[in-house]
Amino acid sequence: MKTNRTRLLCFRNKSLSILVLLILCNDFAGEVFAQNSAGAAQINVRVTDPQGAILPNAEVTLYTRDNRIRINSLTDSNGASRFDQLAPGEYLVEAEATGFARAATRVLRLERNGNASLDISLPLAGVSEQVVVTAQATAQSTDEISKAVSVVESREIEERDEDTVTDALRTVPGLRIQQLGGPGRLVSIKARGLRNQDTAVLIDGIRFRDATTGDATSFLSDFAVTNLDRVEVLRGSGSSLYGTNAIGGVINIVTDEGGGPTHGSILAEGGGLGLFRGRAQLAGGTTRFAYSAGASHLNVTRGIDGDDAARNTSGQGRVVLQLKPTMTLSGRVYAGTSFVQLNNSPEVFGPLPLTGIIDARPISRSELRRYESEVPVGQLSLGGTFIPDANDPDASAASRFFNGAVTFAHRPVEAFGYTISYQGLATRRLNSNGVSGVSFQPFGGSTRTQDDGHIHTLNARTDFSVGKHNFINAGYEFERASFLNRSTSANVADNNSTNVVEQSNTFFVQDQLRFLEDRLQLSAAFRAQFFSLHAPSFTPTVGAPFAGIAFGSPGSAYTGDGSIAYLFRTTHTKLRAHIGNGYRAPSLFERFGTAFFGGFFSPLGDPRLRPERSIAFDAGIDQSLHDNKLRLSATYFYTRLQEVIGFDFSGKINPLTDPFGRFFGYLNTGGGLARGLELSATASPSGMLDVFVSYTYTNSDQQTPQVSGSGVISSLVIPDHQFAAIVTQRIGRRAFINFDLTATSDYLAPVFPRVYRFESLVKADLGASYEFPLAEQRRLRVFGYIDNLFNRDNFESGFRTPGRTGRAGASFSF
């Protein structure tokens, strides 16, 4: 029989993290083998197909209700799996096997010294049922979820052969994924018609963000598919659970839990744009210890214009140690480094009307090449209205991050448990530009800007049950964020730096209630966050901005959240509604950002900025039909941004009255309104065919135009209509064909200083795979894909995206 696998995160980061880990291990390691197993419970699971035939090597996952522990097991030759040494309490069970839909049970309750047996029949055709943790920060089955949640599973990511996490999210309803060019270029995520900074990103439930900008946008393109289990997306306000930036939604990247017999995979592929990608994964463990690790490397030598090299190397790892049935110690590490060659920003071109929206028509590629060879703009042939991103031979960006966490969890009695966790996050971004290239280039020599950020987060959380229907969790979080910005150039007089530190204290509570045999689900949450600021420092000190000013802290943030869902089990219909208010704390750069030129500081930030605030509501219906072979979902959403932070250079900031003497910079301004509809259908009409389609309508407006003087209040980059489809046809048990399509309507986007209307985006990808079984646990899979099948000439805000390209590779699993 194959052994269980249990998650635990262990990591190395700086001396404080190592000290915490050593203290915890010293305190509890002596109890690992001397523990008293009295009171421990056991669950026996048997997995079969619809005809009752046993399914060996099926993966079974056991979740504790509070999601502190996830235990994985592979069924033996009799289709059985056993979980022992379990603490009394509530559990959810999930099972999956190749060629079958995933199935999730409802709550399974274990008493002290109790044993339970469970038979799970995996449907050959049907929509997968999943356990989701992001909606309430606790484990819930599909039927229990009272919010709009989407899940992209690792199997789907593998079938589509996605390189990055953001590529895998392109088909999620309500999300607008934009990449400014080819591989490695800047990626942004806009949820439900809102802005980049309104979506929070989590790694295994803990926030990931750049201390400088306050959100994760700068690193989204670096999140390679390395050691991934799945990605969960909460659509709608999540500030009461996850804090700042969760106004529009939350993306939780869940890494692989590892465990079981030693197993792993190796993948290699290559193709157009000079692409090579490699990935290796390894996992294993015993009944009390589990581990998983992965590494990936992406190398693009040419890119779109032959001079757009990009590289990315990532690594992930986790370990789990079960000290007692009621006690675990876990650790995780996630690190990455990347490099990409950059182009110029798109430029306006030709005789244009003085006002209004411009229809986007790029100059021809031959004229672009002439422009890149320094032919003056006035000598270029007319026929276009903008110049796409021209090649810049000496502009580049590099970044790296290290993210580690350690967590101790203990449930001394069935109705009470607690968790203590620490996360350390270090980020670095480096942008360099020389004098070569066309259009605006640095005067007098190359420039270099480096942003270093550090965020330390300590979280203490407790949960307890009040009867069988009431589950409460509450806690405290301390966070310390700092950023150091350094700018250097060939002109030594322009060298400068900014250093800022901010701390926050947060208290939160959530209550979940279940009634009527779990058909009625209710939840309410509240969060309060208080900020404190350390005085920033600037070099050179002569002429430093904000001198002699008493700095105040950002206003306190109070957020609440409520949701309700009711399931009609006879008709498989679920009604749900969710309302909450959100906030986004002003980033450190928005408060203290500066420009420095000619030996003088120009303040851009405003230390007085107030947090952004919003209120959001959504309501929906989920319907399962035909023995769960078809699942339909519809959600209406409404979000009002009550006050936002914008960058203004239209003259609203008067240097004579501004206390910092600014001509332009960040300021609090009017909010906005986004509302729309998300529709999706998931179907498995046969055991060999899976179909997913989605449509999103978004009407998003800002009170203040995002481009000064344009008069355009429609939110930029957000199309009114988005469509996605994924079709996977299996051919026997060894082969499949995958087709996915994303399309949008026309959309507005800035090409400084005007607003352009860009044509609809259409991208279709086609792939095929065949698997050769080599032994019971070994297989070789070969695959090939065509990206942008229709060779559509897509421009993202004026940046050219790749045309039709091909790639092929192989993976070996053991």
Side-chain angles (χ1 to χ4, degrees), residues 255-272:
T255 59
D256 182 61
E257 64 276 0
T262 300
H263 60 283
S265 65
I266 300 174
L267 177 146
E269 70 172 326

Side-chain angles (χ1 to χ4, degrees), residues 472-714:
I472 300 173
N473 57 69
Y476 163 78
E477 180 182 272
F478 171 79
E479 187 170 84
R480 184 181 188 274
S482 64
F483 92 88
L484 173 62
N485 170 271
R486 297 187 184 95
S487 296
T488 59
S489 71
N491 181 5
V492 178
D494 284 340
N495 295 349
N496 65 95
S497 67
T498 303
N499 192 358
V500 188
V501 177
E502 186 173 75
Q503 297 179 169
S504 69
N505 293 272
T506 302
F507 301 90
F508 57 90
V509 62
Q510 178 180 238
D511 191 4
Q512 295 173 256
L513 300 101
R514 310 192 303 269
F515 300 105
L516 304 177
E517 297 179 341
D518 295 346
R519 296 193 305 274
L520 177 63
Q521 303 281 334
L522 301 168
S523 73
F526 175 77
R527 185 183 184 96
Q529 186 165 1
F530 310 95
F531 302 90
S532 61
L533 176 74
H534 291 197
S537 61
F538 301 87
T539 57
T541 56
V542 177
F546 315 116
I549 298 175
F551 297 103
S553 299
S556 301
Y558 302 95
T559 53
D561 184 278
S563 64
I564 183 173
Y566 187 84
L567 176 66
F568 298 89
R569 287 211 172 99
T570 55
T571 60
H572 303 286
T573 304
K574 182 172 69 176
L575 304 177
R576 51 181 167 77
H578 172 212
I579 187 170
N581 68 317
Y583 82 97
R584 184 182 77 85
S587 71
L588 294 178
F589 188 82
E590 288 171 332
R591 298 188 68 201
F592 299 102
T594 62
F596 194 85
F597 184 74
F600 297 96
F601 279 104
S602 295
L604 301 176
D606 188 341
R608 306 166 300 170
L609 287 175
R610 299 179 297 275
E612 298 183 337
R613 302 185 187 277
S614 67
I615 185 167
F617 168 79
D618 64 63
I621 180 172
D622 301 320
Q623 178 67 60
S624 178
L625 300 168
H626 303 297
D627 295 327
N628 206 34
K629 293 181 181 179
L630 174 64
R631 180 168 291 172
L632 307 174
S633 180
T635 304
Y636 169 80
F637 62 87
Y638 174 99
T639 304
R640 176 175 291 279
L641 298 172
Q642 298 164 309
E643 184 178 44
V644 299
I645 298 169
F647 188 88
D648 187 83
F649 47 84
S650 67
K652 288 183 180 180
I653 300 177
N654 186 341
L656 298 178
T657 58
D658 186 81
F660 319 116
R662 300 179 302 162
F663 289 87
F664 45 80
Y666 293 98
L667 76 167
N668 286 108
T669 183
L673 181 65
R675 58 277 196 204
L677 185 67
E678 299 164 343
L679 304 175
S680 66
T682 307
S684 294
S686 70
M688 298 298 176
L689 178 64
D690 296 322
V691 180
F692 170 81
V693 294
S694 71
Y695 165 78
T696 303
Y697 168 73
T698 307
N699 183 358
S700 179
D701 299 314
Q702 305 289 327
Q703 289 185 14
T704 303
Q706 292 175 275
V707 175
S708 300
S710 68
V712 176
I713 63 171
S714 297

Side-chain angles (χ1 to χ4, degrees), residues 229 287 479 493 548 615 633 769 774:
D229 179 67
T287 56
E479 187 170 84
I615 185 167
S633 180
S769 172
L774 304 179

